[in-house]
Amino acid sequence: MTALTSALEITKLAHEMHVDEAELAFLATTSPDDLRDLRGIVSHAMFSRHESRVKGLAAVSKKLPAAVTAKITEIAMGPMLSARVAAVMDPADAAKLAGHLKPEFLAELSVHLDPSRVEAIIARLDRGLVVDVGRRLLADGHLLTLARFTGVVGPETSLKVVDGASGAEILRLALFIDEPSVIDPLLAGLPDETVTEIAAAGPDHSDAFDALLLALSEDSRARIASLT
């Protein structure tokens, strides 16, 4: 199980660094806790690297109408830089700007966001927009990104996002969730058919399924057992 957890942390670290996982294969024997700490250090370093620049852009955006800023954001800045700027914007201003951005652009931007830095922004967004962006991430296979936001948007919104997702998709999504306490409420809200699908995916993803069971409460494990 430790090997699986380390592999998951390497996947998350590669995502943070925007590199291929193969480039980090030398870290395979590193403990999950050390890899998690390294990911936090890398995230902070990458954000701090251009902090003065993005704060300047955020200040400029505050002086322009939201519709104009949105157009500049989509055409000139792109999703990665926009994610950095969003993290230092006033939450109310950022939420207002998000309402003028295309959902497909917000989905691309989300891949580069650190959810912990934008929680106050997400709390101000229309839930319909959050669900729309989440479903686009799911459709594009960005399960890691989706998992990082699951704890921020809450189980009710998360359940709307994954409505219609396959059991195998939800199993992989659960693997990437950093906070295990988020998984139980998510599973509790899933219909029996989906939970049965998750269990059916177990034999083909045995390590992932075992990791999921370890993260669940006794009641959730009992529910899975009763359905299989």
Side-chain angles (χ1 to χ4, degrees), residues 82-111:
S82 297
R84 297 288 189 269
V85 173
V88 298
M89 287 183 70
D90 174 78
D93 291 339
K96 183 178 179 181
L97 174 60
H100 291 273
L101 295 170
K102 297 175 183 175
E104 53 266 35
F105 181 82
L106 286 172
E108 294 175 15
L109 184 154
S110 298
V111 176

Side-chain angles (χ1 to χ4, degrees), residues 10-195:
I10 288 174
T11 299
K12 295 174 185 178
L13 180 60
H15 176 272
E16 197 71 53
M17 297 176 65
H18 307 291
V19 300
D20 191 276
E21 287 181 48
E23 295 184 47
L24 304 179
F26 66 93
L27 294 172
T29 57
T30 307
S31 75
D33 287 342
D34 287 343
L35 287 170
R36 196 173 295 112
D37 289 344
L38 177 59
R39 177 158 57 95
I41 292 169
V42 169
S43 176
H44 177 74
M46 293 188 71
F47 178 81
S48 300
R49 184 181 178 188
H50 302 294
E51 188 170 3
S52 59
R53 178 188 179 194
V54 297
K55 282 184 175 179
L57 289 170
V60 171
S61 69
K62 192 176 181 69
K63 300 176 182 179
L64 299 172
V68 174
T69 303
K71 185 63 67 176
I72 294 172
T73 298
E74 291 180 348
I75 295 176
M77 291 172 57
M80 183 182 292
L81 180 55
S82 297
R84 297 288 189 269
V85 173
V88 298
M89 287 183 70
D90 174 78
D93 291 339
K96 183 178 179 181
L97 174 60
H100 291 273
L101 295 170
K102 297 175 183 175
E104 53 266 35
F105 181 82
L106 286 172
E108 294 175 15
L109 184 154
S110 298
V111 176
H112 304 284
L113 277 176
D114 179 349
S116 66
R117 294 182 183 274
V118 295
E119 190 168 353
I121 299 173
I122 295 172
R124 288 168 166 79
L125 296 179
D126 176 77
R127 291 297 94 179
L129 177 60
V130 174
V131 171
D132 185 355
V133 171
R135 287 178 175 170
R136 290 173 188 274
L137 290 169
L138 179 64
D140 291 340
H142 291 300
L143 294 176
L144 173 54
T145 299
L146 202 56
R148 298 181 73 196
F149 282 96
T150 300
V152 175
V153 303
E156 184 178 344
T157 300
S158 296
L159 284 167
K160 290 179 180 178
V161 170
V162 301
D163 183 32
S166 69
E169 286 176 321
I170 295 177
L171 178 57
R172 293 197 299 274
L173 173 67
L175 264 184
F176 287 122
I177 294 176
D178 283 328
E179 180 49 61
S181 64
V182 172
I183 302 175
D184 256 314
L186 184 61
L187 187 79
L190 293 173
D192 287 348
E193 312 89 82
T194 305
V195 176

